[in-house]
Amino acid sequence: MSDRDEAFAEYFAARSGSMRATAYLLCGDWHRAADLVQTTFTKLYLRWNKVQRQESLDPYVRQVMIRTFIDEGRWGWWRRERPHDTTIERPAPPGAPVEDRLMLLRALAEVPPRQRAVLVLRYWQDLSVEETAAALGTTTGTVKSQAARGLATLRAVIGAPVPAE
């Protein structure tokens, strides 16, 4: 194995899990998330000689994944090829309200792709407005407006909170 391949394999082993979790938040399907990560890392491997010397590869890889996700949404192929609507969920951590997590994931699936990408990067990945704008290749104003619209969509889908008894 060449040094190039070893460096790529190390990076893949270290980061593919967290990238898959981010991809799942974007698309809401573990199988599609795995495909998205595979496509992203394939694109990364093809440009590995140019990008491996960057200080931090994560923002670049995240940007590639977001753009791939948005582009796939335009193609519509996954809707035709999707064999069924059941999803494989990870078990919730002990003590976490499972119903809340499921409700949030279903609501997130209702948010348009660009807004969903902003919400995932801002509130799940905890990126700043500027980092999110860089990952999406857009302006900070667009990030702020997409976040506001995405949150409004989530609120509309989820509805008013039910008071605890």
Side-chain angles (χ1 to χ4, degrees):
M1 186 182 272
S2 71
D3 291 339
R4 172 186 189 255
D5 291 341
E6 284 182 35
F8 180 80
E10 286 176 19
Y11 182 77
F12 177 82
R15 301 303 298 153
S16 63
S18 67
M19 291 296 171
R20 186 169 182 242
T22 301
Y24 175 76
L25 290 171
L26 290 171
C27 63
D29 180 310
W30 284 111
H31 300 291
R32 187 168 172 228
D35 290 344
L36 184 58
V37 169
Q38 181 179 1
T39 302
T40 300
F41 276 95
T42 299
K43 289 178 180 181
L44 175 65
Y45 183 77
L46 294 174
R47 298 189 43 86
W48 186 248
N49 285 338
K50 294 181 181 180
V51 298
Q52 72 176 342
R53 291 180 283 279
Q54 292 183 1
E55 289 180 23
S56 177
L57 284 173
D58 289 348
Y60 174 78
V61 175
R62 214 176 359 256
Q63 182 180 37
V64 170
M65 184 169 53
I66 296 287
R67 289 181 178 174
T68 301
F69 166 71
I70 291 170
D71 287 346
E72 285 179 356
R74 291 180 188 140
W75 299 336
W77 65 266
W78 67 275
R79 292 177 194 203
R80 291 189 304 272
E81 298 296 325
R82 195 172 191 168
H84 51 76
D85 287 334
T86 59
T87 59
I88 299 171
E89 299 288 339
R90 284 188 182 177
V98 176
E99 296 82 17
D100 291 348
R101 175 183 163 85
L102 292 174
M103 178 182 59
L104 181 59
L105 290 174
R106 279 189 218 110
L108 194 57
E110 298 293 322
V111 177
R114 284 193 181 274
Q115 293 173 13
R116 189 178 330 152
V118 169
L119 293 177
V120 168
L121 292 175
R122 285 284 292 129
Y123 303 110
W124 182 265
Q125 292 286 319
D126 201 26
L127 297 182
S128 68
V129 171
E130 293 78 17
E131 291 169 327
T132 302
L136 295 173
T138 189
T139 65
T140 57
T142 300
V143 169
K144 291 175 185 178
S145 67
Q146 292 293 306
R149 288 182 185 130
L151 289 172
T153 303
L154 276 178
R155 287 184 190 106
V157 170
I158 292 173
V162 177
E165 294 183 69

